[in-house]
Amino acid sequence: MKITKVEVTAASEAKGHAVRDAIQLLDRNGHTTVTIETDDGVTGRSRIYFGREASSPDVLAMIIERQLAPEIIGEDPAFIRGIRSRLRSLTDYQGTQGLSTFGMAAIDQALWDLQGKALGVPVWRLLGAQRSAIPTYAMVGWLELDIAGLERVSAKAMEQGFRGVKVKVGGGPLSEDLERVGAVRKIIGDDAALMVDANQAFDYTEALRRGRVYEDLGCRWFEEPLPAADTASHIKLAEKLDIPIATGENRYGQASFRELIEGGGVGIVQPDLRRAGGITDCYEIGLMAAGFNIPYASHGGGAHIHVLAALPNTIYVESGLLPDNSPISLIDGCYPLPDQPGLASWND
Ligand SMILES: [Mg+2]
């Protein structure tokens, strides 16, 4: 089988309900969609999401169309890692991070989807599954919500069968975090997991001060306490706190995880499919973390569920609330695995 064509489309529209974290307003629904065609008639697809900047899907589409796609025409789509190496060499001069990585992730995911469809199986079957369902929690505590809004979404998450929720922090003073976390805890009860996410908002001193408080509140983890690239401060912070530090969604490529993991600066790794480089890199980062007995919780859901099915160290898939017309229900706080061929998922 040979790759004959790569088709790319881009679109962006304003979000109906813009959401806010400690550092940004996410007000767009943008997508770049890649379809890889073959001489056998089998196709693979991927979709890369953008929450900000209306022009980003178009810029990524141009990188894929003009740079990456010509390099893979005529290749055997089963050589997913071989293609990855070629695309890394190709983008090395301009920088393999940033949108280059988003583009390589788009190709990687479309190739896995194609491989699953060619063989008629979901991708988790190709990776070798560890489990048949993935524990999940609901990321519902956005900062634009007032206390009543937070209580409403937390209650809805519990009604839908989630056994944990995540709340954004760091949008204001610590007293505000306390009020918000306290309100959510009252709704979800003592047994549900409650995570806090600062989206890189703090410096080391503030992260340590607030981390001690989140620890006392019994939070499950402290997510992105510090700017993602500041490995040294993560290592220092992890030495001082007992609460696990969760991070990784803003790290590019698997090499960026190595120092952090080796140094002990992360308690839970959270790669993002787009920034880590796709299914292949997330899977390999997960195995690297497993070698250090570090748990893995995905940033976002969607196609990530196939990686989470396979990794030995999976603890959670991230999710929003289920849509009102959701085709599935959670079972014992878990997403079941999809059974359609390729990279099909429940919560894209
Ligand atoms: Mg986060």
Side-chain angles (χ1 to χ4, degrees):
M1 199 191 304
K2 299 277 183 233
I3 297 170
T4 51
K5 192 174 169 194
V6 179
E7 196 166 293
V8 189
T9 61
S12 181
E13 57 180 26
K15 237 194 221 323
H17 171 94
V19 296
R20 185 180 290 284
D21 63 33
I23 62 164
Q24 62 196 336
L25 181 73
L26 299 168
D27 59 355
R28 305 290 307 178
N29 267 327
H31 292 99
T32 307
T33 306
V34 171
T35 307
I36 298 182
E37 299 178 12
T38 60
D39 56 0
D40 270 18
V42 185
T43 62
R45 246 174 155 220
S46 66
R47 210 164 66 137
I48 298 290
Y49 167 78
F50 290 94
R52 278 173 63 185
E53 300 301 329
S55 61
S56 294
D58 280 327
V59 177
L60 177 62
M62 183 179 275
I63 290 174
I64 297 170
E65 272 169 351
R66 304 261 300 264
Q67 296 186 322
L68 308 182
E71 189 74 9
I72 68 168
I73 301 293
E75 293 295 311
D76 181 338
F79 283 69
I80 297 176
R81 287 186 170 83
I83 287 172
R84 176 178 64 171
S85 299
R86 289 180 62 157
L87 297 182
R88 278 198 189 143
S89 303
L90 182 75
T91 54
D92 187 58
Y93 190 88
Q94 73 187 30
T96 54
Q97 298 194 348
L99 283 180
S100 300
T101 308
F102 276 59
M104 289 185 275
I107 302 265
D108 178 88
Q109 287 175 71
L111 290 173
W112 276 106
D113 186 50
L114 197 157
Q115 205 55 30
K117 284 176 176 155
L119 297 167
V121 294
V123 167
W124 58 263
R125 284 193 179 273
L126 302 179
L127 296 172
Q130 165 91 24
R131 61 188 65 73
S132 58
I134 316 296
T136 187
Y137 69 91
M139 169 49 239
V140 291
W142 296 96
L143 290 176
E144 81 286 353
L145 298 174
D146 61 14
I147 295 292
L150 268 181
E151 290 171 344
R152 194 182 61 245
V153 291
S154 303
K156 190 156 188 193
M158 292 298 109
E159 276 165 34
Q160 291 187 341
F162 288 95
R163 293 184 178 176
V165 300
K166 191 161 78 189
V167 177
K168 299 294 190 188
V169 292
L174 177 56
S175 57
E176 193 180 298
D177 294 349
L178 284 169
E179 192 190 358
R180 297 176 74 82
V181 170
V184 170
R185 178 57 83 193
K186 260 199 198 136
I187 297 289
I188 67 174
D190 288 341
D191 293 338
L194 198 165
M195 300 76 160
V196 289
D197 183 359
N199 291 92
Q200 313 181 69
F202 304 134
D203 61 15
Y204 170 74
T205 308
E206 187 64 7
L208 180 58
R209 182 175 86 96
R210 295 206 195 195
R212 285 178 171 145
V213 176
Y214 305 144
E215 196 167 280
D216 288 344
L217 292 171
C219 296
R220 174 69 181 82
W221 70 58
F222 182 9
E223 181 168 325
E224 286 204 301
L226 297 160
D230 185 356
T231 301
S233 293
H234 279 87
I235 293 169
K236 262 198 313 182
L237 187 65
E239 277 169 11
K240 296 276 172 111
L241 294 177
D242 290 330
I243 185 172
I245 291 169
T247 192
E249 68 182 74
N250 283 295
R251 288 193 165 237
Y252 286 84
Q254 61 180 281
S256 72
F257 282 82
R258 181 181 155 167
E259 268 191 353
L260 187 69
I261 289 174
E262 276 184 332
V266 57
I268 296 164
V269 291
Q270 296 181 301
D272 171 287
L273 276 177
R274 301 158 302 172
R275 300 190 186 100
I279 295 289
T280 311
D281 279 270
C282 282
Y283 182 55
E284 291 175 3
I285 290 163
L287 293 178
M288 175 165 55
F292 288 81
N293 297 316
I294 296 174
Y296 187 108
S298 66
H299 177 236
H304 221 134
I305 198 163
H306 296 267
V307 175
L308 294 158
L311 287 173
N313 47 339
T314 290
I315 53 170
Y316 278 116
V317 57
E318 182 170 19
S319 178
L321 289 173
L322 301 180
D324 289 335
N325 57 352
S326 174
I328 53 134
S329 314
L330 301 180
I331 302 162
D332 298 331
C334 296
Y335 273 99
L337 299 182
D339 51 17
Q340 303 97 312
L343 274 185
S345 56
W346 304 118
N347 63 348
D348 249 336

